[in-house]
Amino acid sequence: MSRWLTEAVPRGRVAAFRTLVYLFVAGDLLVFTPWIRARVDVPGDLYQPLFVGRVLPLPTPNPALVNVIFWALLLLALLAATGRAPRLLGWPVFVLYLEWMIIAMSYGKVDHDRFGLLVALAVLPTAGRARHGDPARTEAGGWALRVTQLAVVCTYFLAAWAKFRFGGLDWATGSVLAKAIIRRGTDLADLIAQVPHLLLVAQFGILAFELLSPLVFVLPERWRLAMVGFFYSFHLATIATITISFAPHLVAMTSFLPLERVRPVLALRKLAARRSAAGHRRPGSDPIPQPAGVGSPPAHTSAPVGADAPADPAPVTADASRDDVPASAEARQGGGQLAGGEPVPGAALP
């Protein structure tokens, strides 16, 4: 069991996963959860902290506290995405993001798609240093990814358990998806809802998929990646029909993927190098090579004083064959045509 939990993975995979997770934290503050900064303007009596917020001595949020958490977390997450000082930066990011989520979920609504991401933030500081593209394997990094994978699968399995716990089989036989489509459905969802019994089949399929999700750990690697691809396709259908993204969960689920094969920074460097090289070879910047003797005046040689003048070449008769004509003479007589009929660039020689 311990060998499975600490199965070594390439350090490049850990580095890529770490960068992706911390960049998402920064993006989450700016795109998905900026509304938390406005929520603290409501009276403090509406703040009902989660269990962890009741156990820990956490203060009631106010605008000053929330703004400090926001800017500190944004700065630290961007620094942690570089991979430097993984423990020094990783632990504060986890603590601040945990408090950010406690504030967000203490006003009546709890999202379960944050569980895998929170676990990833908790274990990444223990993975140690890792560089992008490094093929060396690490058991500490493997443990961090494995624990994140377990959190991802638990999100599915425990969601099915919660459905049975609070709704029983009525969740599968009721109108859960129909209500979701009425509240936030898209045009695609409206078309699907018109197919008889399709929503009921989908509800049974969701339960089966969530209950069987732990099988991803016993499949061979090729089939494991295929099953993870099915997980992503399920969430793609969810986004397309009822506009629920599960973005934090999707980021945590990349712990299953061979991220070391994806090198966006290296690809951008190669692209920039190619563009720079192409900029130095602009059209017209290089001179066009000319055949020898073309475009330059013929060399004039003078015989030494007292030497006999060179004899004139033999005249070419009209019935002489083309093979008997020298190439230089043919070029002069043919208006700039070399032997073989290829034109000579530039003006014809006299």
Side-chain angles (χ1 to χ4, degrees):
M1 184 66 177
S2 60
R3 180 179 300 178
W4 179 78
L5 285 173
T6 59
E7 183 180 357
V9 298
R11 293 183 183 273
R13 183 179 305 183
V14 178
F17 182 69
R18 172 183 287 150
T19 298
L20 179 62
V21 167
Y22 289 130
L23 287 179
F24 177 82
V25 169
D28 186 40
L29 296 173
L30 300 173
V31 178
F32 294 105
T33 59
W35 48 266
I36 297 176
R37 300 175 69 186
R39 177 160 291 186
V40 296
D41 292 333
V42 303
D45 296 339
L46 298 178
Y47 175 71
Q48 299 179 358
L50 304 174
F51 175 76
V52 62
R54 297 191 301 269
V55 172
L56 299 177
L58 300 178
T60 300
N62 55 63
L65 174 64
V66 171
N67 282 323
V68 168
I69 294 175
F70 176 85
W71 290 110
L73 182 56
L74 181 61
L75 176 62
L76 291 175
L78 292 175
L79 292 176
T82 64
R84 299 182 182 276
R87 293 181 177 86
L88 182 63
L89 296 173
W91 290 121
V93 170
F94 166 65
V95 172
L96 290 174
Y97 192 77
L98 177 63
E99 170 63 5
W100 187 255
M101 287 295 100
I102 292 174
I103 295 174
M105 307 304 167
S106 296
Y107 289 90
K109 181 178 182 293
V110 179
D111 296 331
H112 65 281
D113 62 342
R114 306 275 168 171
F115 179 61
L117 182 67
L118 282 168
V119 171
L121 291 173
V123 297
L124 275 175
T126 68
R129 294 183 177 273
R131 298 184 61 182
H132 290 270
D134 188 355
R137 294 184 170 268
T138 166
E139 291 185 352
W143 180 83
L145 293 183
R146 183 69 77 196
V147 172
T148 305
Q149 294 170 2
L150 288 170
V152 168
V153 173
C154 284
T155 301
Y156 291 129
F157 189 82
L158 295 178
W161 175 258
K163 292 178 177 65
F164 281 118
R165 179 185 176 187
F166 296 104
L169 286 178
D170 290 340
W171 192 95
T173 59
S175 55
V176 176
L177 290 182
K179 292 178 180 178
I181 291 174
I182 292 173
R183 287 180 53 207
R184 53 192 305 165
T186 63
D187 293 337
L188 176 61
D190 293 337
L191 293 175
I192 293 174
Q194 298 175 14
V195 180
H197 310 298
L198 182 57
L199 295 183
L200 291 177
V201 173
Q203 288 169 183
F204 277 100
I206 291 173
L207 278 175
F209 144 65
E210 292 175 338
L211 289 173
L212 297 176
S213 59
L215 293 178
V216 71
F217 291 119
V218 299
L219 293 175
E221 182 178 1
R222 178 180 177 183
W223 291 104
R224 183 186 309 130
L225 293 177
M227 191 169 184
V228 172
F230 172 76
F231 293 168
Y232 277 104
S233 66
F234 166 76
H235 291 287
L236 179 62
T238 304
I239 297 172
T241 53
I242 54 179
T243 62
I244 298 178
S245 67
F246 283 88
H249 179 79
L250 299 181
V251 172
M253 195 159 58
T254 59
S255 57
F256 283 99
L257 304 180
L259 296 177
E260 70 276 10
R261 302 178 187 176
V262 182
R263 302 289 304 278
V265 176
L266 183 61
L268 290 176
R269 288 177 179 175
K270 290 182 178 180
L271 180 61
R274 283 196 293 265
R275 288 185 176 181
S276 177
H280 292 296
R281 295 195 302 268
R282 294 178 180 176
S285 59
D286 295 337
I288 300 176
Q290 297 287 343
V294 176
S296 58
H300 295 280
T301 59
S302 57
V305 178
D308 295 334
D312 294 332
V316 179
T317 59
D319 58 349
S321 63
R322 295 181 57 88
D323 296 336
D324 297 331
V325 182
S328 58
E330 183 175 346
R332 290 192 297 269
Q333 295 175 5
Q337 297 287 333
L338 291 176
E342 294 296 332
V344 177
L349 295 176

